Amino acid sequence: NSTDAAKRRAAVWAAAQIEDGMAVGLGTGSTSALVIEEVGRRVAEGLRIKAIATSEASQKLALEWKIPMSDFAHLPQLDMTIDGADEVQEGTLYLIKGHGGALLREKIVAMASKKLIIAVDPRKLVKTLGAVFALPVEVVPFGYETTIRRLEDLGFESELRVTDEGKPYVTDGQHYIVHCKLPQVGFDAYEAAAKLKGTVGVVEHGLFLGMASKVVIGGLEGIEVLEA
Ligand code: DER
């Protein structure tokens, strides 16, 4: 459908930014799966790269496409990471990420990268963060009930992410995810990020502020590239 076509257009453009010899971070989610497929095609045509994945799922897919995978023991820094996002704020290019369940590794990989390219379809663009999606916050399972209360005390209406079977969703890092509703007025992203990181029991959150170098938006006709 048109959204898939838009995602693929963005994914192909992003994958084309990779140069021979680069160390690349591979994101997580359906758009990143299209990026990994395109990178796999380019590797089959002779592109020489080393890659690190942001989730076990992306690692598995990258291996299926015979992309040479490595780790931070061998690649202390990455030239570029390509990932998706749940929301991109117009103007600031602040991101909400994490609905793919991989925000912790995604943020670690993004922080180790010289450039972060975000590939999205047009639906992801928002004026205010949290307009469409709650903010995923990764928490330690032990005492998560008390951590949720602390998040509520900060003013975030919070709900534990559960699987279809009603069990807590468990991340690659063996943590839980809490979805926090962001206030739509008087919301200061940096203040919220600091409050979240200062909350006992919170491991990391899905606010990626000042991190995106470029955002490529796949449209119906072509693509648009926003730069930070
Ligand atoms: O979890 C994430 O941040 C992912 O990038 C993800 O949510 C984007 O998902 P999509 O590409 O499947 O829309």
Side-chain angles (χ1 to χ4, degrees), residues 4-46:
D4 291 346
K7 287 183 178 183
R8 184 172 293 279
R9 205 167 270 127
V12 166
W13 183 89
Q17 306 313 303
I18 299 171
E19 291 160 22
D20 219 43
M22 274 191 172
V24 179
L26 301 174
T28 296
S30 61
T31 309
S32 292
L34 296 172
V35 172
I36 291 170
E37 181 181 330
E38 187 60 23
V39 172
R41 287 216 172 83
R42 293 194 59 199
V43 165
E45 289 161 5

Side-chain angles (χ1 to χ4, degrees), residues 110-150:
M111 290 300 290
S113 306
K114 291 179 199 149
K115 283 198 290 185
L116 175 62
I117 295 183
I118 297 294
V120 293
D121 64 271
R123 293 171 310 160
K124 307 296 182 68
L125 273 186
V126 296
K127 291 212 177 336
T128 53
L129 284 178
V132 177
F133 285 96
L135 173 68
V137 176
E138 187 147 344
V139 303
V140 171
F142 177 81
Y144 78 89
E145 302 90 343
T146 68
T147 304
I148 287 182
R149 274 201 296 279
R150 281 191 286 280

Side-chain angles (χ1 to χ4, degrees), residues 76-165:
Q77 191 173 44
L78 300 174
D79 299 297
M80 169 189 303
T81 286
I82 305 173
D83 205 340
D86 301 298
E87 286 185 0
V88 176
Q89 185 177 39
E90 291 171 8
T92 61
L93 299 190
Y94 292 171
L95 312 176
I96 283 187
K97 283 177 62 48
H99 283 270
L103 71 90
L104 179 57
R105 293 193 187 183
E106 287 174 333
K107 197 175 272 190
I108 290 169
V109 169
M111 290 300 290
S113 306
K114 291 179 199 149
K115 283 198 290 185
L116 175 62
I117 295 183
I118 297 294
V120 293
D121 64 271
R123 293 171 310 160
K124 307 296 182 68
L125 273 186
V126 296
K127 291 212 177 336
T128 53
L129 284 178
V132 177
F133 285 96
L135 173 68
V137 176
E138 187 147 344
V139 303
V140 171
F142 177 81
Y144 78 89
E145 302 90 343
T146 68
T147 304
I148 287 182
R149 274 201 296 279
R150 281 191 286 280
L151 291 168
E152 300 261 351
D153 292 346
L154 288 178
F156 299 114
E157 195 186 316
S158 301
E159 189 177 309
L160 181 71
R161 177 173 168 170
V162 293
T163 63
D164 298 347
E165 294 78 44

Side-chain angles (χ1 to χ4, degrees), residues 53-75:
T54 56
S55 62
E56 295 302 325
S58 291
Q59 171 82 4
K60 182 171 174 296
L61 186 61
L63 289 172
E64 284 165 14
W65 282 95
K66 301 188 178 16
I67 297 170
M69 300 308 284
S70 185
D71 56 34
F72 283 120
H74 299 89
L75 297 177

